[in-house]
Amino acid sequence: MDRVIILDTTLRDGEQAAGARMNMKEKLEIARQLERLGVDVIEAGFPISSPGDFESVKTIAKEVRGPVICALARALPQDVDRAWEAVKDAANPRIHVFLSASDIHRMYQLKKSREEVLEASRDMVARAKKYLSDVEYTPMDASRTEPEYIHKIVKAVIDAGATTINLPDTVGYAVPDEYGDLISGVLEHVPNIDRAVVSAHCHNDLGMAVANSLQAIKRGARQVEATINGIGERAGNAALEEIVVALKTRSDFFNVTTKIDTTQIYKTSRLVSEITGFVVQPNKAIVGGNAFRHESGIHQDGIIKMPITYEIIDPTTIGIPASSLVLGKLSGRHALKQRLAELGYTLSEEDLSRVFAAFKELADKKKDVTDKDIESLMAQEQRMVSEVYRLERIQVTCGDRGIPTASVQLTDPEGKFLADAALGTGPVDAVYKAINRIVGVSNKLTEFSVKSVTEGIDAIGEVLIRIESDGVIYTGRGADTDIIVASAKAYMNALNRLLNAKKPAK
Ligand code: KIV
Ligand code: ZN
């Protein structure tokens, strides 16, 4: 069977989703998980776009040694040079050069002729090729470009050294037959195409990104570009997990393999959702909360008699733990360690001690501690930032009469105890105002959401907030059985990120 190369672009196209900004530490954490997932190529960012993006790509290139690390560049000399600077320390670096090819983009946006686009593409691929051997080229908006012109540019850039040719459906306009024809056309009409891998890159504006990507593979594309949970610009990109599991489940039809360790899919999906704050819709294929839940009596009856009656994918294939063993306040450190290992977490003894203490605190408030609770504890552990101010205690009074009032106690960087109080329009507002009186950093709350992690009255509530300061967004998360406490923890988490980012570099 042929193997399809999986290029993950969660950190580049995925991050282009409105509100999905990630900091360097978060990107590195995702890149490490993508390596465990087994992706062939990580498109780590667009180095010329900002100093932060440059640093993230550079760090990932140094630290993540398994996959190819790819940097995006427009067909401009300064972009290509910057991309090289960012990836040059990678074990396997790649530069990805792109330039719009369609008449619509050329005429209204670039104001360049076909010849100028062809020439810039060829020259910038040649420039990248002087730095490294692995060069990808994308004629942007390929699905809305006249095929003969695409064939001409593709031939020219392969002669200049491109080793991967990516043909994107940039605006999610194509339908599977059309997109398949674009791929077949290039494979049939470009004489030197045997020197390059053809790649699919689809957006989901009409809900066809995965279908188009699979059709491309059926027609001979051997690289596919996708993001975890399908996040990305506008309606998003093709969802990596959907493509990979479709190829595996219907290998009888597609006859191709990938290098992905599918048992890492669930964990990767959770991590990306946690970091970006983008909740996965319950009915989302493969990783949605309901994807393996059977509600109707007829279906449940069938599943009990023989799972394949209604279940085409075994949930353990994507790493959803089979057991739903419940822990409680009498469970010991060893039981927690074992359950964590089954859920895919390996912790040092020191980290385990911290998680065990949080587990005991939770088990005191909550009778049954389920897998989802444990994952929420782990998410908090992974989200821990170095604390400038630490939340010690909060006290709130509220109700339908009187003015919501909060008092808070924090410790400052020197360990000094600080307390203050404030009134607010609601209890969360009062808590945030009291914290602001102590910390004194101006910021604007841009997003606040609460969700329940588990079912029942004693469920853990998870709060996600975003605050803005000097044009930069900082995300904070907090979880607790009391949603006011969870809100305070989330705010402290975001404030500590802001304060850490503003610390002068040593
Ligand atoms: O959608 C697109 O065309 C892109 C390119 C930059 C590869 O993301
Ligand atoms: Zn894209």
Side-chain angles (χ1 to χ4, degrees):
M1 275 204 257
D2 276 358
R3 188 160 81 75
V4 173
I5 296 165
I6 303 292
L7 180 148
D8 179 278
T9 184
T10 306
L11 300 177
R12 200 279 297 170
D13 226 356
E15 204 205 19
Q16 283 178 221
R21 268 197 89 75
M22 299 169 238
N23 63 31
M24 190 168 91
K25 193 166 157 263
E26 293 168 335
K27 285 187 179 174
L28 183 59
E29 194 179 336
I30 291 181
R32 290 205 165 108
Q33 179 56 28
L34 290 172
E35 184 176 31
R36 284 191 282 274
L37 179 66
V39 305
D40 300 276
V41 186
I42 296 176
E43 186 162 66
F46 186 9
I48 196 98
S49 67
S50 72
D53 229 42
F54 175 82
E55 282 310 321
S56 300
V57 178
K58 201 164 177 59
T59 307
I60 292 168
K62 279 191 191 142
E63 305 266 331
V64 182
R65 309 300 288 174
V68 170
I69 305 298
C70 172
L72 188 70
R74 291 168 299 179
L76 294 169
Q78 62 272 31
D79 278 41
V80 173
D81 297 351
R82 193 80 173 140
W84 169 243
E85 270 305 306
V87 291
K88 68 180 182 200
D89 297 324
N92 303 292
R94 173 183 292 188
I95 294 178
H96 177 182
V97 178
F98 76 98
L99 186 55
S100 284
S102 66
D103 287 349
I104 303 174
H105 281 206
R106 277 191 316 94
M107 280 157 52
Y108 298 111
Q109 193 182 12
L110 290 184
K111 313 232 183 291
K112 277 192 193 304
S113 68
R114 286 190 174 183
E115 287 62 41
E116 284 171 314
V117 164
L118 192 143
E119 203 176 308
S121 301
R122 191 179 42 211
D123 291 354
M124 289 308 113
V125 166
R127 189 178 185 100
K129 197 71 182 181
K130 285 199 185 128
Y131 291 126
L132 77 184
S133 60
D134 189 346
V135 179
E136 174 166 339
Y137 172 76
T138 290
M140 192 153 81
D141 206 17
S143 58
R144 293 193 301 169
T145 307
E146 193 206 338
E148 287 69 31
Y149 178 54
I150 290 279
H151 302 164
K152 204 169 154 188
I153 318 185
V154 169
K155 178 178 178 311
V157 294
I158 293 177
D159 279 338
T163 44
T164 300
I165 298 296
N166 183 41
L167 302 167
D169 182 25
T170 302
V171 290
Y173 180 75
V175 298
D177 277 351
E178 260 172 3
Y179 192 62
D181 289 347
L182 169 67
I183 304 289
S184 303
V186 165
L187 286 166
E188 278 161 27
H189 299 296
V190 177
N192 53 2
I193 197 68
D194 57 320
R195 282 158 40 198
V197 173
V198 172
S199 170
H201 176 118
C202 300
H203 281 266
N204 206 29
D205 298 67
L206 295 175
M208 287 185 275
V210 170
N212 283 340
S213 305
L214 292 171
Q215 178 71 338
I217 292 168
K218 197 70 188 159
R219 301 285 196 99
R222 285 297 173 266
Q223 175 176 285
V224 70
E225 306 194 352
T227 61
I228 301 299
N229 299 338
I231 66 166
E233 189 85 48
R234 306 180 309 278
N237 287 56
L240 185 150
E241 64 282 359
E242 293 183 25
I243 296 172
V244 167
V245 176
L247 293 178
K248 187 178 168 97
T249 309
R250 296 304 313 273
S251 62
D252 60 316
F253 181 78
F254 290 106
N255 248 302
V256 293
T257 57
T258 69
K259 203 166 71 51
I260 296 294
D261 173 0
T262 57
T263 63
Q264 293 289 330
I265 285 179
Y266 182 67
K267 204 171 156 202
T268 316
S269 162
R270 292 278 311 199
L271 180 68
V272 170
S273 169
E274 276 295 330
I275 286 179
T276 57
F278 283 16
V279 176
V280 174
Q281 80 201 49
N283 58 322
K284 158 101 175 54
I286 317 300
V287 288
N290 286 352
F292 298 99
R293 271 201 190 143
H294 302 273
E295 196 70 21
S296 104
I298 296 174
H299 288 207
Q300 287 175 350
D301 175 61
I303 289 282
I304 291 164
K305 289 178 175 148
M306 179 59 83
I308 54 162
T309 49
Y310 291 96
E311 198 166 78
I312 60 160
I313 313 155
D314 179 342
T316 57
T317 312
I318 64 150
I320 294 183
S323 146
S324 55
L325 184 78
V326 168
L327 300 180
K329 71 178 186 184
L330 297 178
S331 307
R333 187 183 163 98
H334 186 71
L336 178 67
K337 186 175 177 180
Q338 191 180 329
R339 193 72 203 117
L340 282 167
E342 283 161 8
L343 292 170
Y345 300 105
T346 325
L347 273 67
S348 68
E349 286 305 309
E350 192 192 334
D351 291 347
L352 179 64
S353 299
R354 228 181 8 252
V355 175
F356 185 60
F359 161 76
K360 278 287 179 191
E361 203 181 305
L362 178 65
D364 259 348
K365 296 182 192 160
K366 200 170 181 293
K367 194 167 143 284
D368 296 332
V369 179
T370 64
D371 290 348
K372 283 188 176 167
D373 293 317
I374 293 173
E375 281 179 355
S376 171
L377 289 179
M378 281 308 299
Q380 283 186 72
E381 167 73 15
Q382 285 164 341
R383 298 281 73 70
M384 262 180 50
V385 284
S386 87
E387 285 184 314
V388 181
Y389 286 91
R390 172 197 282 272
L391 179 69
E392 298 294 346
R393 191 168 295 184
I394 69 168
Q395 182 75 42
V396 173
T397 51
C398 61
D400 63 350
R401 303 273 187 280
I403 303 171
T405 311
S407 61
V408 301
Q409 295 176 355
L410 310 182
T411 38
D412 76 359
E414 279 81 45
K416 205 166 109 214
F417 200 62
L418 304 162
D420 215 322
L423 307 176
T425 50
V428 175
D429 184 47
V431 168
Y432 285 13
K433 283 188 173 137
I435 293 174
N436 285 344
R437 286 171 66 91
I438 300 174
V439 178
V441 184
S442 78
N443 70 81
K444 196 167 130 228
L445 183 70
T446 58
E447 200 178 320
F448 177 93
S449 64
V450 192
K451 76 169 192 221
S452 153
V453 178
T454 45
E455 292 97 23
I457 197 73
D458 58 357
I460 292 190
E462 245 179 29
V463 173
L464 169 101
I465 70 159
R466 290 203 169 90
I467 58 175
E468 195 211 298
S469 173
D470 294 335
V472 182
I473 303 276
Y474 301 89
T475 304
R477 287 179 194 77
D480 200 278
T481 47
D482 179 325
I483 57 166
I484 306 296
V485 177
S487 307
K489 285 182 178 172
Y491 190 45
M492 290 305 298
N493 186 238
L495 274 180
N496 278 321
R497 277 170 200 271
L498 186 165
L499 293 165
N500 278 318
K502 292 200 167 165
K503 264 189 205 161
K506 284 190 190 140

